[in-house]
Amino acid sequence: MKRILSLATSCLALAGAASAAEVLVTADITTSTTWTADNVYNLQTQVYVKNGATLTIEPGTVIASTNGLNGALIVTKTGTIMAMGTKKQPIVFTSRRDDTAGGDTWHDGNTEPQGGDWTTLTFTASSANSVLDHVDLRYAGNRYSSG
């Protein structure tokens, strides 16, 4: 079975207490997978949910991307996302520099997130079974320059 995610080798600590472990998401999701709130998922590239796989995302989960990596989550016609957060525990897609979601998980101090820090959450036209509820999308988009 192809390994989909690679865990960071250590758990990070915040103010002496254990905080979420960073999971580097580096490959497409081709088998059903659950992302849990005790991890922070860092999109390292464009990641596709496909081949009949369902990505289930638990309430309170943070999905981020490092600026400049063009991290994206793309649901194809054969993939499904079930992201059902709650009012008290929304699911957050954001920039790695956003310390308001999950705290200063990367211990990089006070950093300023910007639009375009990660790229997109995309559903192809025929991906009809996905559900998003209480999902917060922050600092996504594309940056273009007039080179």
Side-chain angles (χ1 to χ4, degrees):
M1 176 189 263
K2 185 176 176 182
R3 184 166 172 94
I4 298 170
L5 304 174
S6 60
L7 280 172
T9 57
S10 64
C11 290
L12 301 174
L14 179 62
S19 63
E22 179 181 25
V23 177
L24 302 178
V25 185
T26 60
D28 292 342
I29 297 169
T30 58
T31 59
S32 293
T33 302
T34 299
W35 287 358
T36 60
D38 58 345
N39 294 314
V40 174
Y41 297 87
N42 189 333
L43 301 172
Q44 298 290 290
T45 187
Q46 292 183 349
V47 175
Y48 291 83
V49 182
K50 60 184 185 177
N51 296 350
T54 297
L55 172 60
T56 302
I57 305 174
E58 291 183 347
T61 301
V62 176
I63 299 96
S65 185
T66 303
N67 181 33
L69 293 181
N70 294 321
L73 192 60
I74 302 159
V75 184
T76 68
K77 68 180 179 179
T78 60
T80 303
I81 285 186
M82 300 303 287
M84 293 179 279
T86 65
K87 187 173 184 175
K88 291 185 179 182
Q89 290 186 299
I91 295 165
V92 179
F93 285 81
T94 191
S95 166
R96 183 176 183 255
R97 298 188 285 188
D98 182 3
D99 294 340
T100 67
D104 189 12
T105 303
W106 293 276
H107 305 286
D108 55 1
N110 188 15
T111 54
E112 186 71 30
Q114 297 178 1
D117 278 356
W118 67 286
T119 309
T120 186
L121 171 60
T122 301
F123 297 87
T124 60
S126 55
S127 61
N129 296 319
S130 294
V131 175
L132 299 177
D133 190 16
H134 289 91
V135 174
D136 189 5
L137 304 174
R138 305 176 185 174
Y139 306 107
N142 291 315
R143 292 188 197 171
Y144 297 100
S145 63
S146 57

